[in-house]
């Protein structure tokens, strides 16, 4: 059905828009959002008696490197999803085989986004750097919302499509 194809295209475009806005916000408000990354890496707001503080990264250069890597990954997510949405849009009336074979960029972008927010923020930030212990610099809930939404779109998009009626 064409409606399902259009739905998949629009959900990929929605994630592309989201990732674009997040990357744009992090670039244009670098200082504010950099503070988040800096505090998570320094582990200066986790429980005072935590025994994992040895994991803290104190180097400002590494803080900037991590933040730039995050922004680059957000931008990559956006770019791949925009290309993916465009590729799917361009074959929306094509055969099922061509439509299904055109999902690569969308799947790639959604996967990169999932990995950023699940691995980067939940696993590394949340667990390794103990972000969950911070009342001030805790992005666990936001990261969870982001990667679950992206995962839902990824699952939906990867479902095989049939021919347009």
């Amino acid at each position: 059905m064409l409606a399902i194809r259009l739905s998949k295209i629009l959900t990929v475009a929605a994630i592309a828009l989201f990732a674009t806005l997040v990357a744009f916000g992090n670039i244009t408000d670098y200082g504010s959002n950099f503070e988040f990354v800096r505090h998570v890496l320094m582990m200066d707001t986790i429980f005072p008696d935590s025994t994992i503080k040895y994991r803290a990264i104190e180097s400002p250069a590494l803080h900037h490197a991590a933040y730039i890597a995050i922004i680059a990954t957000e931008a990559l997510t956006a770019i791949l999803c925009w290309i993916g949405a465009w590729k799917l849009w361009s074959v929306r009336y094509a055969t099922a085989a061509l439509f299904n074979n055109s999902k690569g960029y969308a799947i790639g972008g959604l996967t990169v986004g999932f990995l950023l927010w699940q691995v980067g923020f939940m696993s590394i930030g949340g667990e390794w750097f103990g972000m969950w212990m911070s009342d001030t610099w805790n992005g666990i809930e936001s990261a969870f919302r982001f990667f679950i939404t992206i995962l839902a779109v990824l699952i939906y998009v990867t479902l095989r499509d049939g021919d347009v009626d």
Side-chain angles (χ1 to χ4, degrees):
M1 277 184 91
L2 182 60
I4 293 172
R5 288 186 181 189
L6 292 175
S7 173
K8 289 180 179 186
I9 294 164
L10 291 172
T11 58
V12 172
I15 299 300
L17 176 62
F18 170 74
T20 299
L21 295 174
V22 172
F24 179 77
N26 283 336
I27 293 167
T28 59
D29 191 14
Y30 187 94
S32 296
N33 296 309
F34 171 74
E35 285 302 305
F36 177 91
V37 173
R38 187 176 74 80
H39 283 288
V40 170
L41 295 177
M42 288 183 58
M43 302 175 73
D44 58 352
T45 62
I46 67 169
F47 300 158
D49 57 347
S50 175
T51 61
I52 66 167
K53 286 189 177 184
Y54 70 90
R55 300 175 185 171
I57 295 174
E58 308 261 337
S59 166
L62 291 178
H63 298 162
H64 284 285
Y67 189 45
I68 290 167
I70 290 167
I71 295 169
T73 307
E74 293 163 349
L76 179 61
T77 299
I79 290 165
L80 291 173
C81 285
W82 282 124
I83 293 169
W86 176 252
K87 285 193 165 288
L88 293 174
W89 175 260
S90 68
V91 295
R92 66 192 178 280
Y93 296 113
T95 64
L98 184 56
F99 187 81
N100 288 318
N101 289 335
S102 298
K103 295 178 179 181
Y105 280 95
I107 292 169
L110 295 166
T111 301
V112 169
F114 172 82
L115 292 172
L116 172 62
W117 280 289
Q118 199 290 322
V119 175
F121 284 91
M122 291 289 289
S123 298
I124 296 172
E127 292 304 317
W128 183 256
F129 289 105
M131 182 171 59
W132 66 271
M133 291 185 244
S134 176
D135 289 332
T136 311
W137 303 103
N138 186 340
I140 297 289
E141 288 182 23
S142 295
F144 181 78
R145 276 194 321 270
F146 300 162
F147 86 74
I148 287 297
T149 302
I150 292 169
L151 182 61
V153 173
L154 178 60
I155 291 167
Y156 179 49
V157 167
T158 59
L159 295 175
R160 306 286 299 165
D161 287 271
D163 285 318
V164 176
D165 297 332

